[in-house]
Amino acid sequence: MEEKRQGEGLNVKKEENFSDWFSEVIEKAEIVDLRLGVKGFIVIRPWGAQIIENMFEHLEKELQRKGHKPTFMPSVIPKENLTKESEHIKGFTPEVFWLKSIGENQELALRPTSETVYTPMFKLWVRSWRDLPLKLYQRAHVFRLDTKATRPLIRGREFIWIECHDAFASKEEAEKQVQEDIDTTEKVMHQIYGVPFFPMKRPEWDKFAGAEYTVGSDCFMPDGKLIQQPSTHLMGQKFSKAFNAKFKNKEDKEEYLWTTAYGPAVSRILASVIATHGDDSGLILPFSISPIQVVIIPIFTNKNKEEIMEKTSKIKSLLEKKDVKVHVDDEAEKRPGEKYHLWELKGIPFRIEFGEKEMKSDEITLFTRDTKEKKKIKIADLSDIKKMGEEFDRRLREKADDFSKGRILDCNDKKEIKRAIESGKMARVNFCSTEKEGIKCAEAVETQLGGDVRGTLANKDEIPKGDCIICGKPATKVVYIGKSY
Amino acid sequence: MEEKRQGEGLNVKKEENFSDWFSEVIEKAEIVDLRLGVKGFIVIRPWGAQIIENMFEHLEKELQRKGHKPTFMPSVIPKENLTKESEHIKGFTPEVFWLKSIGENQELALRPTSETVYTPMFKLWVRSWRDLPLKLYQRAHVFRLDTKATRPLIRGREFIWIECHDAFASKEEAEKQVQEDIDTTEKVMHQIYGVPFFPMKRPEWDKFAGAEYTVGSDCFMPDGKLIQQPSTHLMGQKFSKAFNAKFKNKEDKEEYLWTTAYGPAVSRILASVIATHGDDSGLILPFSISPIQVVIIPIFTNKNKEEIMEKTSKIKSLLEKKDVKVHVDDEAEKRPGEKYHLWELKGIPFRIEFGEKEMKSDEITLFTRDTKEKKKIKIADLSDIKKMGEEFDRRLREKADDFSKGRILDCNDKKEIKRAIESGKMARVNFCSTEKEGIKCAEAVETQLGGDVRGTLANKDEIPKGDCIICGKPATKVVYIGKSY
């Protein structure tokens, strides 16, 4: 098969080989470049960076609306901080990048996450319950020395995220924050980016190092594997005890702070956006985050060029007045067909073709990226473009929802589980326990069935009926089992 | 002297001891926190972070308007890249933070700057003159192992900046970019943040390691010392030759790319904003970048509280409709006087006091932070708030301009130079050369007079008359001498 060049579509079909399709589309659509040659560190090109910037904008807006304020913490963490909470450092030790000694009396790590700098600051900034809650975040790059195979955007050694670190006066408020974080994931990742998820309270053996519990967001990839997106953690008083971070409560008594953390990795969520919505022609970007929402391709001859371009610029103005991001592709050297392919590859929601015929009837030809429908509409009707954008995004979201919902299967024995996860689904089963005593059954799931116990739904109480599908003891939980990235 | 607490103003007067004033104001106004205890790495608190975010917004908008597109490059650079351009690595070697070996066959540095990752990407992304110019930027943290005394925001080991890396088809276009970068500094740092600067073409011995030449922006601090703000560099073909980054020109011949770099360090520019505009009551923030532009202090008794608060919220809506950032400080436990002090310390441009008297006459009392003028105006007149904000910023800028312009002194002998720089001014003098042969005279300036040759004006040709003020040979340049940070 001859290699297709940019503007000629993709070589691999998404259905046939998702993994190769993903690798091809992120390079051809100019999201990333892997040729710098540093394992786990990638170059994000302008098209990818612009999408990420738009994703950040929605996310930060929602976080700020919920009372979070920005900060900038150092990218390095002194060893004495990083090692203060014993479970935390035990979990993170193998993943830490350390700086070479600079001859000063302090060992420094590149931050893998920032609990151990926020908590000592809470200690300084919070005196009494009046200073609470304190809800902070930073947009940051973090570094984890993953020794497994890295995959661009999905699993890297550096990723771009927002980390929220919040402090509260009670466990109840902290737990409410965990639910609020799940709501933020719903409002932004699902409602705006169109990526559905299952909020999973992770089993004891799979929580964040140092947390009381963790809720991860599990999203299906097209191949049926699960990828963890934003997770939120109830730290309880673990970090505040390690750092002696106290406050005076309403009874004027000293008490340790209750803290939480929430970490949406925007570069990783982009992987889900691409994987969820894209097709064999390339990316399909939600209208809400596409750097170009409408591309206009004027089609002209030497004879009518002036007139066509004049009218094109009027259409552009009309759309810009509606606060829509428009690009006119009037490059003279490319044929319209080439341009169509290019902008389909890049995932632009709407394409306007405007030539002699359209001009005569005061119309445009509108191509819609997801449905690939082409139709003529009156220029004046473009004033509905925002609504069309909302409908576009709703279609993407609903399609993703359907895919996701259809992949949960109730299973009653090991064979059914195996069949489920091998066909790219998640098995819902009765299980003995997600506390420590359940780990043996979880290990059996891994070794015998090739799946992971992802946890229990965090936003719904599901009551098990019957016995643990592995050990046969009375079940206490309904857990989900799937294959993970 | 008793230590003043937050809300009670500052202990140190700016005129008397600028350095101590600066240290005090950045901590009391909650811009930074130095108590994490890592030399050169600081915590930027929400108030500081919000100002920085606003500064970024203006800067990125201007860069995008001029055709720059965002990217995200890895925070680490492999040694083989960093060492490729010989002058570059010679200059940066002492300042590089290296990562400890992770047992893989590659040494990694934390980026001090990113020419050595952008240039190899240019090589991959640019095929012919049709792909040029290519103008990219990233918002990034960079790391330099400064062994001198660090000062928060002014001189750190990590700073937050934007770095632009641009590639062109000719030297002429690249040099135009250098001028465009100076224009960006003018449009943003001077016109929007209100910080004036002298664009100085640095002498040969003071240019960026690897550049053909460097233009730095020298800004006066209130103590008369100079701080370097954004600099722009003509790299010429030095990096493109090191990385073999070529393009096909219009004659279809291969040629090395012409590159430039521009690096505004936003965290450092914030230091100039604070230093330039602040006074003995605290910060004074330009209206354009203040996270709160108007603070409303309702003054009520139990009796009229409801009415006052209702009217206050109407005033708030009126201002928000004008797209102004408003905060209502209705905290019950603080006296109005305390609130006044607090928000003056934080630098809010306008304060509205609204109580019984004001309500009766349909007025508000307006306090203006820079002039400290208090006056009653009709509520309806608040619809001019944006214009008032523009005037506020113009006043700050003009005051800063006056300070800056008055500090250039023509000097005719060493004694005059010494007197000038000791009184916090910049001496303008005739000088033999800013090429290599001038370095001896520059060394004499440093050792005998305690000043630095900052360079020649980059936006104005100044013709020297007479001889070099140091060696007496015929002068070829008019240079500026000052004390630097």
Side-chain angles (χ1 to χ4, degrees):
Chain A
M1 185 173 59
E2 214 181 325
E3 272 284 311
K4 289 184 181 168
R5 294 180 42 146
Q6 195 200 53
E8 292 177 6
L10 303 170
N11 293 305
V12 187
K13 293 211 180 308
K14 189 180 176 188
E15 288 264 321
E16 285 170 12
N17 188 335
F18 165 68
S19 178
D20 286 359
W21 173 88
F22 184 80
S23 300
E24 192 184 359
V25 79
I26 57 174
E27 291 211 74
K28 282 221 174 129
E30 300 183 338
I31 299 290
V32 301
D33 199 306
L34 310 176
R35 291 172 288 178
L36 191 69
V38 189
K39 184 177 158 76
F41 292 84
I42 59 172
V43 167
I44 297 182
R45 301 184 67 167
W47 192 244
Q50 287 173 74
I51 302 168
I52 286 176
E53 290 287 354
N54 292 341
M55 291 171 73
F56 266 122
E57 203 179 310
H58 288 292
L59 186 53
E60 289 186 73
K61 207 171 144 190
E62 181 65 15
L63 290 171
Q64 287 171 11
R65 202 182 65 75
K66 286 173 171 157
H68 286 90
K69 288 194 169 148
T71 50
F72 294 106
M73 293 290 172
S75 297
V76 301
I77 301 183
K79 189 177 182 179
E80 60 269 28
N81 287 48
L82 199 61
T83 54
K84 209 146 237 168
E85 206 292 316
S86 58
E87 286 173 27
H88 186 63
I89 186 62
K90 212 170 106 187
F92 273 102
T93 287
E95 293 192 10
V96 174
F97 282 99
W98 293 98
L99 299 193
K100 272 193 188 165
S101 167
I102 52 168
E104 289 169 13
N105 205 9
Q106 198 171 43
E107 276 187 75
L108 298 174
L110 279 184
R111 65 173 161 227
T113 174
S114 304
E115 285 73 15
T116 58
V117 295
Y118 276 97
T119 317
M121 288 297 123
F122 289 155
K123 178 186 159 82
L124 297 168
W125 296 341
V126 177
R127 274 174 291 186
S128 82
W129 61 273
R130 284 184 193 86
D131 302 318
L132 297 170
L134 182 58
K135 298 167 73 164
L136 303 176
Y137 77 90
Q138 71 173 341
R139 186 176 151 167
H141 292 229
V142 286
F143 306 86
R144 296 185 189 171
L145 180 40
D146 209 314
T147 48
K148 290 182 225 163
T150 56
R151 299 204 58 185
L153 301 178
I154 294 173
R155 183 186 289 283
R157 290 178 171 183
E158 171 175 28
F159 50 91
I160 310 177
W161 78 349
I162 278 181
E163 49 181 320
C164 299
H165 295 275
D166 302 353
F168 301 92
S170 71
K171 182 170 186 175
E172 197 193 345
E173 285 172 81
E175 293 209 85
K176 260 190 204 153
Q177 185 58 44
V178 170
Q179 291 299 321
E180 188 191 282
D181 294 340
I182 297 171
D183 178 68
T184 299
T185 308
E186 168 60 27
K187 289 250 164 58
V188 181
M189 190 173 76
H190 185 212
Q191 296 299 326
I192 300 178
Y193 311 156
V195 176
F197 67 103
F198 300 91
M200 289 286 177
K201 186 170 174 184
R202 297 283 181 233
E204 185 62 20
W205 54 85
D206 198 21
K207 63 185 191 183
F208 178 85
E212 271 196 28
Y213 65 77
T214 287
V215 177
S217 310
D218 277 340
C219 304
F220 275 109
M221 288 295 239
D223 57 2
K225 281 193 197 159
L226 296 161
I227 181 169
Q228 168 162 305
Q229 292 297 357
S231 52
T232 165
H233 316 283
L234 181 79
M235 302 305 183
Q237 296 181 315
K238 290 196 179 184
F239 284 90
S240 63
K241 281 183 180 165
F243 286 92
N244 197 28
K246 294 178 184 173
F247 71 103
K248 278 203 174 154
N249 65 19
K250 283 190 181 171
E251 288 76 46
D252 213 35
K253 278 188 187 149
E254 288 214 316
E255 199 180 323
Y256 290 106
L257 289 168
W258 295 88
T259 67
T260 63
Y262 172 56
V266 177
S267 52
R268 189 171 223 226
I269 299 175
L270 176 57
S272 277
V273 169
I274 292 170
T276 303
H277 305 310
D279 68 11
D280 293 341
S281 304
L283 303 180
I284 298 180
L285 294 175
F287 189 80
S288 56
I289 58 170
S290 187
I292 299 172
Q293 295 166 311
V294 179
V295 62
I296 308 178
I297 319 271
I299 301 156
F300 48 79
T301 58
N302 283 337
K303 220 170 121 191
N304 67 7
K305 182 172 179 183
E306 204 173 317
E307 224 181 332
I308 290 275
M309 287 312 296
E310 198 190 307
K311 197 76 191 167
T312 294
S313 104
K314 276 189 187 152
I315 297 170
K316 184 173 182 246
S317 301
L318 187 150
L319 291 167
E320 282 174 341
K321 261 181 215 143
K322 297 281 164 190
D323 214 20
V324 164
K325 293 166 198 151
V326 193
H327 173 68
V328 175
D329 184 355
D330 56 1
E331 222 184 286
E333 298 195 13
K334 278 187 188 153
R335 285 167 294 108
E338 268 182 274
K339 295 181 184 179
Y340 298 171
H341 278 301
L342 173 70
W343 296 113
E344 284 174 36
L345 177 62
K346 293 238 178 180
I348 315 297
F350 299 109
R351 176 176 78 229
I352 288 175
E353 302 164 16
F354 188 73
E356 182 70 25
K357 267 190 205 164
E358 285 87 355
M359 190 163 59
K360 273 187 179 156
S361 57
D362 226 20
E363 291 179 311
I364 54 116
T365 295
L366 184 75
F367 172 82
T368 303
R369 178 64 184 83
D370 63 329
T371 58
K372 295 204 163 183
E373 184 198 17
K374 233 179 178 182
K375 64 176 177 190
K376 281 211 166 61
I377 65 167
K378 286 283 166 198
I379 290 178
D381 291 342
L382 281 175
S383 60
D384 277 340
I385 187 73
K386 282 268 177 173
K387 221 181 98 198
M388 290 157 60
E390 280 166 29
E391 279 161 20
F392 184 94
D393 285 358
R394 190 166 41 73
R395 275 197 310 277
L396 294 192
R397 189 171 63 242
E398 285 175 359
K399 196 177 165 199
D401 288 350
D402 287 345
F403 180 88
S404 199
K405 277 181 205 149
R407 300 217 152 213
I408 304 294
L409 225 63
D410 284 308
C411 294
N412 295 306
D413 58 36
K414 288 188 191 173
K415 226 183 236 166
E416 283 182 20
I417 298 177
K418 203 161 181 187
R419 213 178 301 137
I421 60 182
E422 273 171 8
S423 64
K425 299 200 167 63
M426 230 187 339
R428 176 163 50 195
V429 305
N430 296 319
F431 203 72
C432 54
S433 170
T434 52
E435 301 301 310
K436 271 180 193 157
E437 57 272 24
I439 194 163
K440 278 202 177 153
C441 288
E443 280 165 2
V445 167
E446 209 180 316
T447 53
Q448 294 170 25
L449 309 175
D452 293 314
V453 174
R454 307 293 295 182
T456 56
L457 275 187
N459 57 352
K460 197 177 163 187
D461 259 332
E462 294 187 303
I463 314 292
K465 286 175 194 154
D467 300 328
C468 173
I469 203 160
I470 304 294
C471 66
K473 284 184 203 153
T476 67
K477 302 283 176 187
V478 174
V479 304
Y480 291 73
I481 295 171
K483 279 198 179 181
S484 60
Y485 263 84
Chain B
M1 186 173 57
E2 213 182 325
E3 272 284 310
K4 289 184 183 171
R5 295 179 43 144
Q6 195 200 51
E8 293 177 5
L10 303 171
N11 292 304
V12 187
K13 293 210 179 312
K14 189 178 176 189
E15 288 264 321
E16 284 170 13
N17 188 335
F18 164 69
S19 179
D20 287 358
W21 173 88
F22 185 80
S23 300
E24 193 184 358
V25 79
I26 57 174
E27 291 212 72
K28 281 220 174 131
E30 300 184 338
I31 298 290
V32 301
D33 198 308
L34 310 176
R35 292 172 288 177
L36 192 68
V38 189
K39 185 179 156 76
F41 292 85
I42 58 171
V43 167
I44 297 182
R45 301 185 68 167
W47 193 244
Q50 288 172 72
I51 302 168
I52 286 176
E53 290 288 354
N54 292 340
M55 290 170 73
F56 267 122
E57 203 179 311
H58 288 291
L59 186 54
E60 289 185 74
K61 206 170 144 191
E62 181 65 16
L63 289 172
Q64 286 171 11
R65 202 181 64 76
K66 285 172 171 158
H68 286 91
K69 288 194 169 148
T71 50
F72 294 107
M73 292 290 171
S75 297
V76 301
I77 301 182
K79 189 176 182 180
E80 60 267 29
N81 287 48
L82 200 60
T83 54
K84 209 146 234 166
E85 206 291 317
S86 59
E87 286 173 27
H88 186 62
I89 188 60
K90 212 171 104 188
F92 274 102
T93 286
E95 293 193 9
V96 175
F97 282 99
W98 292 98
L99 300 192
K100 271 192 188 166
S101 167
I102 52 169
E104 290 169 12
N105 205 8
Q106 198 170 43
E107 276 187 75
L108 298 174
L110 279 184
R111 65 173 160 227
T113 173
S114 303
E115 284 74 14
T116 57
V117 293
Y118 276 97
T119 318
M121 287 298 122
F122 289 156
K123 177 187 160 83
L124 297 168
W125 296 341
V126 177
R127 273 174 292 189
S128 82
W129 62 273
R130 283 184 194 86
D131 303 317
L132 295 171
L134 181 57
K135 297 168 74 165
L136 302 176
Y137 77 91
Q138 72 174 339
R139 185 177 151 166
H141 291 229
V142 287
F143 306 87
R144 295 185 189 171
L145 179 41
D146 209 315
T147 48
K148 289 184 226 164
T150 58
R151 298 204 58 186
L153 301 177
I154 293 173
R155 181 186 290 281
R157 289 178 172 183
E158 173 175 26
F159 50 92
I160 311 176
W161 78 350
I162 279 181
E163 49 181 321
C164 298
H165 296 275
D166 302 352
F168 301 91
S170 71
K171 182 170 187 175
E172 196 193 346
E173 285 172 80
E175 294 210 83
K176 261 191 203 153
Q177 184 58 44
V178 169
Q179 290 299 321
E180 187 191 282
D181 295 339
I182 298 172
D183 178 67
T184 299
T185 307
E186 168 62 25
K187 289 250 164 59
V188 181
M189 189 173 76
H190 185 212
Q191 295 299 326
I192 299 178
Y193 313 155
V195 175
F197 67 102
F198 299 92
M200 289 285 177
K201 186 169 175 184
R202 298 282 181 234
E204 184 63 20
W205 54 86
D206 197 22
K207 64 185 189 183
F208 178 85
E212 271 196 29
Y213 64 77
T214 287
V215 177
S217 310
D218 276 341
C219 303
F220 274 110
M221 287 296 236
D223 59 1
K225 280 192 198 160
L226 296 161
I227 181 169
Q228 168 162 304
Q229 293 295 359
S231 53
T232 165
H233 317 283
L234 181 80
M235 302 305 183
Q237 296 180 315
K238 289 197 180 183
F239 285 90
S240 64
K241 281 183 180 164
F243 286 91
N244 196 28
K246 294 178 183 173
F247 71 103
K248 278 201 174 154
N249 64 20
K250 283 190 180 170
E251 288 76 44
D252 213 36
K253 277 187 188 150
E254 287 213 319
E255 198 179 326
Y256 289 106
L257 289 169
W258 294 88
T259 67
T260 63
Y262 172 55
V266 177
S267 52
R268 188 171 225 226
I269 299 175
L270 176 57
S272 277
V273 169
I274 292 169
T276 302
H277 305 310
D279 68 11
D280 292 340
S281 305
L283 303 179
I284 299 179
L285 294 175
F287 189 81
S288 56
I289 60 169
S290 188
I292 298 173
Q293 294 166 312
V294 180
V295 62
I296 307 179
I297 319 270
I299 300 156
F300 48 80
T301 59
N302 283 336
K303 221 170 118 188
N304 68 5
K305 182 172 179 183
E306 204 172 318
E307 225 183 331
I308 291 275
M309 287 312 296
E310 198 190 308
K311 196 76 191 167
T312 295
S313 104
K314 275 189 188 151
I315 297 170
K316 185 173 181 246
S317 301
L318 188 150
L319 291 167
E320 282 174 342
K321 261 180 214 141
K322 297 282 163 187
D323 214 19
V324 165
K325 293 166 197 151
V326 193
H327 174 67
V328 175
D329 185 353
D330 55 2
E331 223 184 287
E333 298 194 13
K334 277 186 187 154
R335 284 169 293 110
E338 268 182 274
K339 295 180 183 177
Y340 298 171
H341 278 301
L342 173 69
W343 297 113
E344 284 174 37
L345 178 62
K346 293 238 178 180
I348 315 297
F350 298 110
R351 177 175 79 228
I352 288 176
E353 302 162 16
F354 187 72
E356 182 70 27
K357 267 189 206 166
E358 286 86 354
M359 191 165 57
K360 275 187 178 154
S361 57
D362 226 23
E363 290 179 311
I364 53 117
T365 296
L366 185 76
F367 172 82
T368 302
R369 178 63 184 85
D370 63 328
T371 58
K372 296 203 164 186
E373 184 197 17
K374 232 179 178 183
K375 64 176 176 189
K376 283 212 165 61
I377 66 166
K378 286 284 167 199
I379 291 178
D381 291 343
L382 281 175
S383 60
D384 277 340
I385 187 73
K386 282 267 179 176
K387 221 180 99 200
M388 288 157 61
E390 280 166 28
E391 279 161 21
F392 184 94
D393 286 359
R394 190 168 39 74
R395 274 198 310 278
L396 294 192
R397 188 171 64 243
E398 284 176 358
K399 195 177 165 199
D401 287 351
D402 287 346
F403 180 88
S404 198
K405 277 182 205 148
R407 299 215 150 215
I408 304 292
L409 224 64
D410 285 308
C411 294
N412 295 307
D413 58 36
K414 289 187 192 174
K415 225 184 238 170
E416 282 181 20
I417 298 176
K418 204 164 178 183
R419 212 179 300 140
I421 61 182
E422 274 170 7
S423 63
K425 299 197 167 65
M426 233 188 337
R428 176 163 50 197
V429 304
N430 296 318
F431 203 72
C432 54
S433 168
T434 53
E435 302 298 311
K436 272 181 193 158
E437 56 272 25
I439 194 161
K440 279 202 175 154
C441 288
E443 281 165 0
V445 167
E446 209 180 315
T447 53
Q448 294 170 27
L449 310 176
D452 293 314
V453 175
R454 308 292 295 183
T456 56
L457 275 186
N459 56 354
K460 197 176 162 189
D461 259 333
E462 294 187 302
I463 313 293
K465 284 175 194 153
D467 300 327
C468 173
I469 202 159
I470 304 293
C471 67
K473 283 183 202 153
T476 68
K477 301 283 175 186
V478 174
V479 304
Y480 290 73
I481 295 172
K483 278 197 180 184
S484 60
Y485 264 83

